[in-house]
Amino acid sequence: MTVGKFITFEGIDGSGKSTQAKLLAERLQSEGHEVVLTREPGGSVGAEEIRAMVLEGDPDRWSAETEILLFTAARRDHLERTILPALAAGKIVICDRFADSTRMYQGLSRGDLRTVVDQLHMLMIGREPDLTILIDMDPVIGLARAKSRQTSEERFEDFGAGLQKRMRRGFLDLAEEFAERFRVIDGGRTTEDVGNDVFETIRTHLQDSAS
Ligand code: ADP
Ligand code: TYD
């Protein structure tokens, strides 16, 4: 049985997920919570190795199906070695992206593979977050923010504004599909305003689930 809380951040590239995940972790820690801040793809030694393979180099060397297997393999390792042990110890796990990203990027971007993504998820992962914060954002602004970061990991940012737009729509649809665990937050504001909104949302959730 898991006793901690599993919180994920989702949204298009550049929407502010990493910034907000870090801020939330710091705020919860300062209130005395034990927090594990992690990310996908990655978050464990093996999964970080898979991250380097999928986000760098020629993206066309994998088929869409192979890519689903790689992201899910990384997630399985991350779940076994980082997420589940932390939840079992009663910690709050904050994860920058999780299975909803595979539902979007692998499930939507190269044809309709959502059913395959969901089937593999059921077989190998079988766990959803307790709460998912979707940072919703204008795709053009998100892309400009993501591009300004200058890293060698440009796998999906390279697809440009068209894909970002479809992903934004897809994430909003996903938030309706899983309305119980999703909370949508407007990312087009200052870091501080978004952060306050995120913190209040989490505080309400923690209070509700404790009562
Ligand atoms: P993501 O993890 O969703 O890709 P990041 O948190 O890495 O997004 O943010 C992308 C870029 O935008 C970073 O350079 C970050 O400093 C900046 N940024 C994040 N939040 C805001 C905000 N509310 N306003 C302006 N810039 C932001
Ligand atoms: P991330 O480092 O979160 O990128 P960003 O900070 O720009 O949002 O994720 C790297 C890329 O990996 C991102 O473009 C989305 C993609 N991705 C998938 O395609 N499938 C997945 O299952 C995950 C977790 C990420």
Side-chain angles (χ1 to χ4, degrees):
M1 207 190 90
T2 56
V3 291
K5 278 278 164 214
F6 183 25
I7 298 165
T8 59
F9 280 83
E10 296 284 358
I12 58 175
D13 290 322
S15 55
K17 296 177 300 300
S18 316
T19 305
Q20 292 300 332
K22 188 165 171 279
L23 270 180
L24 176 66
E26 287 166 0
R27 256 175 120 165
L28 289 172
Q29 268 159 348
S30 74
E31 290 206 334
H33 293 281
E34 276 200 275
V35 176
V36 171
L37 175 60
T38 185
R39 67 165 181 186
E40 288 209 352
S44 62
V45 175
E48 288 290 336
E49 286 178 16
I50 298 174
R51 179 185 178 102
M53 286 196 326
V54 289
L55 296 187
E56 293 174 37
D58 178 8
D60 293 329
R61 69 198 192 287
W62 320 113
S63 71
E65 286 79 0
T66 306
E67 209 172 83
I68 294 172
L69 288 164
L70 288 169
F71 278 103
T72 307
R75 179 159 308 124
R76 173 75 197 204
D77 192 65
H78 184 209
L79 192 72
E80 282 176 11
R81 290 167 193 253
T82 305
I83 299 173
L84 292 180
L87 291 175
K91 296 179 185 171
I92 298 179
V93 175
I94 300 175
C95 189
D96 186 351
R97 294 194 184 279
F98 191 65
D100 296 317
S101 283
T102 317
R103 292 185 171 106
M104 289 297 97
Y105 290 85
Q106 282 64 50
L108 283 190
S109 68
R110 292 206 262 170
D112 184 6
L113 289 171
R114 172 71 196 275
T115 308
V116 178
V117 170
D118 282 337
Q119 284 172 339
L120 194 61
H121 178 78
M122 269 209 303
L123 189 66
M124 296 313 303
I125 308 297
R127 165 87 208 208
E128 300 295 348
D130 296 308
L131 195 76
T132 299
I133 301 284
L134 170 58
I135 307 201
D136 181 49
M137 170 96 237
D138 180 322
V140 175
I141 299 174
L143 197 63
R145 283 189 192 170
K147 293 253 179 220
S148 71
R149 263 183 324 213
Q150 300 277 333
T151 82
S152 54
E153 293 178 344
E154 292 197 337
R155 172 74 181 82
F156 293 90
E157 286 152 23
D158 278 352
F159 287 138
L163 180 75
Q164 286 268 88
K165 231 185 230 172
R166 282 180 55 214
M167 293 296 112
R168 180 197 199 179
R169 186 65 255 157
F171 273 121
L172 288 170
D173 290 344
L174 210 56
E176 281 185 24
E177 186 180 338
F178 298 106
E180 208 160 285
R181 71 173 162 89
F182 262 90
R183 302 288 181 274
V184 182
I185 285 182
D186 174 10
R189 297 172 291 160
T190 65
T191 300
E192 199 190 355
D193 284 353
V194 179
N196 287 337
D197 215 351
V198 168
F199 188 64
E200 280 313 310
T201 302
I202 299 300
R203 206 212 301 263
T204 305
H205 174 79
L206 292 177
Q207 273 166 0
D208 288 352
S209 57
S211 60

